[in-house]
């Protein structure tokens, strides 16, 4: 096989491989005129840009022999099929009201074509009310899916996460209201797709897992099977589970802002500023007691049973990569 330019594509970054139909005009370009009947296949792959942004690019390889061309296509497709980390069937929840009502359009125009290209089948649910996705996760046959994708913001992710973790505990017969009950680890991954261009929205989960709030980048991470472990905490009150959380908890002033802003979702992102000023001017006084358990050692991993701390797996891995980078260039790493 030959290509006009040198091209190196890691199999872990291949999105799809397809046979390329060559037009008569294409066959008459340059040195391909020498081929009696050229054959080609196209590899779609991840192209990494600045600021953690990913895009789908493609490169076409030409072959003089049809059998050789088919061999390459079959071999590459088998490699992708053998990668068990890549999803084959996804359950997608779309919040049609978030992100200036762009969620459905963004999914259909930017995400769905990429999933189709990667041969990922999807079942799409358009949420109609608050906790629709959470309630639905307790009813669907969750075992037939490789992952759950939510198209929305942090609130949508929280809803799907709470529904999925709750479903796992229910199926395992675990009482979530018992603060001391050991929880069953969730084996199904969650993907999050940014719902729209609301620059005032925090999109904390997107930035902390993917590095950028961009729907195409998130979709490509899902396609290639990337996984970012997250620590999850459970909040209880009087032996009753309130919620699971992965980003932040609000009590007092911040909690009142969120509570008031939820009643004014029609205002869009401006509701946070309005509720913040309103709550500040109310001059509420809050009391509370905080207790914590000190860490036993300084090293840990998101997959262990200990609390998150400095020196976790992600930081350690980044430090190791930096050391290897310096070593290749003969620099001293400190």
């Amino acid at each position: 096989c030959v290509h006009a330019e040198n091209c190196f594509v890691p199999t872990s970054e291949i999105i799809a491989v397809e046979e390329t139909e060559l037009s008569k005009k294409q066959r008459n370009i340059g040195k391909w005129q020498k081929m009696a009947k050229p054959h080609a296949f196209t590899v779609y792959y991840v192209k990494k840009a600045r600021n953690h942004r990913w895009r789908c690019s493609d490169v076409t390889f030409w072959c003089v022999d049809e059998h050789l061309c088919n061999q390459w296509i079959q071999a590459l497709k088998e490699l992708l099929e053998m990668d068990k980390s890549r999803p084959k069937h996804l359950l997608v929840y779309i919040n049609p009201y978030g992100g200036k009502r762009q969620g459905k359009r963004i999914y259909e125009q930017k995400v769905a074509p990429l999933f189709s290209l990667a041969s990922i089948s999807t079942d799409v649910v358009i949420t109609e009310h608050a906790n629709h996705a959470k309630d639905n996760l307790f009813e669907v046959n969750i075992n037939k899916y490789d992952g759950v994708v939510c198209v929305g913001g942090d609130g949508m992710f929280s809803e799907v996460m709470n529904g999925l973790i709750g479903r796992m505990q229910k199926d395992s017969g675990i009482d979530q209201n018992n603060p001391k009950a050991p929880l069953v680890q969730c084996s199904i991954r969650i993907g999050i797709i940014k719902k729209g261009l609301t620059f005032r929205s925090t999109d904390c989960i997107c930035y902390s897992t993917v590095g950028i709030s961009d729907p195409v980048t998130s979709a490509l991470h899902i396609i290639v099977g990337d996984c970012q472990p997250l620590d999850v905490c459970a909040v209880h009150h009087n032996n009753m589970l309130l919620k699971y959380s992965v980003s932040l908890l609000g009590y007092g002033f911040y909690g009142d802002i969120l509570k008031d802003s939820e009643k004014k979702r029609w205002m869009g992102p401006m509701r946070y500023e309005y509720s913040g000023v309103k709550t500040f001017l109310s001059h509420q006084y809050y009391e509370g007691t905080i207790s914590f358990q000190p860490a036993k050692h300084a090293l840990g991993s998101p997959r262990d049973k200990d609390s998150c701390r400095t020196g976790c797996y992600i930081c350690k891995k980044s430090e190791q990569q930096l050391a290897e980078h310096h070593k290749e260039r003969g620099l001293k790493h400190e």
Side-chain angles (χ1 to χ4, degrees):
C1 286
V2 290
H3 177 249
E5 299 177 0
N6 292 329
C7 183
F8 173 77
V9 180
T11 56
S12 60
E13 297 179 4
I14 294 178
I15 300 169
V17 181
E18 291 184 348
E19 184 178 2
T20 307
E21 293 292 334
L22 300 178
S23 64
K24 186 175 181 181
K25 183 178 179 181
Q26 284 177 307
R27 295 179 185 180
N28 294 332
I29 296 176
K31 54 186 170 183
W32 310 122
Q33 290 178 328
K34 301 177 182 179
M35 295 185 180
K37 188 178 180 182
H39 300 273
F41 64 93
T42 300
V43 176
Y44 298 89
Y45 66 96
V46 171
K47 184 176 182 180
K48 299 178 181 179
R50 298 178 61 184
N51 300 322
H52 307 287
R53 190 181 301 273
W54 283 13
R55 286 294 177 262
C56 177
S57 188
D58 62 85
V59 56
T60 300
F61 296 89
W62 304 68
C63 303
V64 292
D65 181 78
E66 181 179 7
H67 178 67
L68 180 59
C69 182
N70 292 333
Q71 278 187 317
W72 271 105
I73 295 173
Q74 186 64 26
L76 290 173
K77 286 187 174 182
E78 287 179 359
L79 280 174
L80 298 182
E81 187 70 26
M82 290 170 57
D83 190 348
K84 300 303 179 183
S85 64
R86 292 179 177 241
K88 305 296 188 299
H89 195 186
L90 295 172
L91 175 59
V92 180
Y93 290 103
I94 301 177
N95 177 7
Y97 303 105
K100 298 182 180 180
R101 300 178 182 269
Q102 297 185 65
K104 188 172 182 292
R105 180 187 64 82
I106 285 177
Y107 176 79
E108 292 176 346
Q109 295 184 4
K110 296 186 177 183
V111 179
L114 290 174
F115 284 170
S116 177
L117 177 65
S119 301
I120 297 176
S121 60
T122 57
D123 290 337
V124 179
V125 177
I126 307 296
T127 58
E128 300 174 356
H129 53 79
N131 291 321
H132 183 176
K134 179 181 177 182
D135 296 338
N136 185 256
L137 280 166
F138 278 85
E139 301 173 356
V140 298
N141 179 12
I142 200 68
N143 295 321
K144 71 176 184 178
Y145 299 107
D146 301 310
V148 180
V149 175
C150 55
V151 183
D154 292 342
M156 187 65 175
F157 173 84
S158 177
E159 183 179 328
V160 169
M161 178 196 66
N162 276 269
L164 191 57
I165 295 178
R167 172 64 184 273
M168 292 294 146
Q169 311 318 310
K170 178 185 176 183
D171 292 349
S172 302
I174 294 177
D175 181 13
Q176 299 181 90
N177 293 320
N178 180 5
K180 297 183 179 180
L183 301 182
V184 173
Q185 186 175 356
C186 185
S187 58
I188 299 178
R189 289 172 289 176
I190 302 176
I192 181 169
I193 303 293
K194 176 73 169 69
K195 77 280 186 184
L197 302 176
T198 50
F199 296 106
R200 294 184 183 182
S201 183
T202 57
D203 296 306
C204 173
I205 305 301
C206 259
Y207 279 108
S208 61
T209 55
V210 180
I212 188 174
S213 184
D214 174 65
V216 173
T217 301
S218 295
L220 293 176
H221 275 284
I222 293 170
I223 289 172
V224 300
D226 279 348
C227 180
Q228 173 62 60
L230 291 175
D231 288 311
V232 180
C233 66
V235 185
H236 292 80
H237 178 66
N238 293 332
N239 291 323
M240 179 67 68
L241 174 70
L242 298 182
K243 187 167 285 190
Y244 295 107
S245 174
V246 298
S247 56
L248 58 89
L249 294 173
Y251 168 76
F253 176 76
Y254 191 77
D256 282 349
I257 292 178
L258 293 179
K259 183 178 180 181
D260 186 71
S261 66
E262 279 298 306
K263 302 175 184 178
K264 300 175 176 61
R265 297 189 68 88
W266 54 271
M267 295 180 65
M270 182 66 72
R271 68 184 185 272
Y272 296 118
E273 296 177 7
Y274 174 83
S275 297
V277 173
K278 178 182 175 182
T279 305
F280 176 77
L281 294 177
S282 67
H283 297 290
Q284 292 290 330
Y285 180 77
Y286 306 98
E287 291 184 355
T289 301
I290 299 176
S291 60
F292 66 94
Q293 183 177 355
K296 297 179 181 179
H297 49 82
L299 299 178
S301 164
R303 294 191 182 279
D304 61 25
K305 297 180 181 180
D306 298 326
S307 303
C308 182
R309 60 180 66 85
T310 303
C312 67
Y313 170 77
I314 301 302
C315 299
K316 193 174 182 64
K317 184 177 180 181
S318 299
E319 183 180 353
Q320 182 180 1
Q321 290 175 341
L322 181 62
E324 292 175 353
H325 175 78
H326 286 175
K327 185 177 180 181
E328 290 176 356
R329 285 158 178 75
L331 300 176
K332 182 179 179 182
H333 173 66
E334 297 180 354

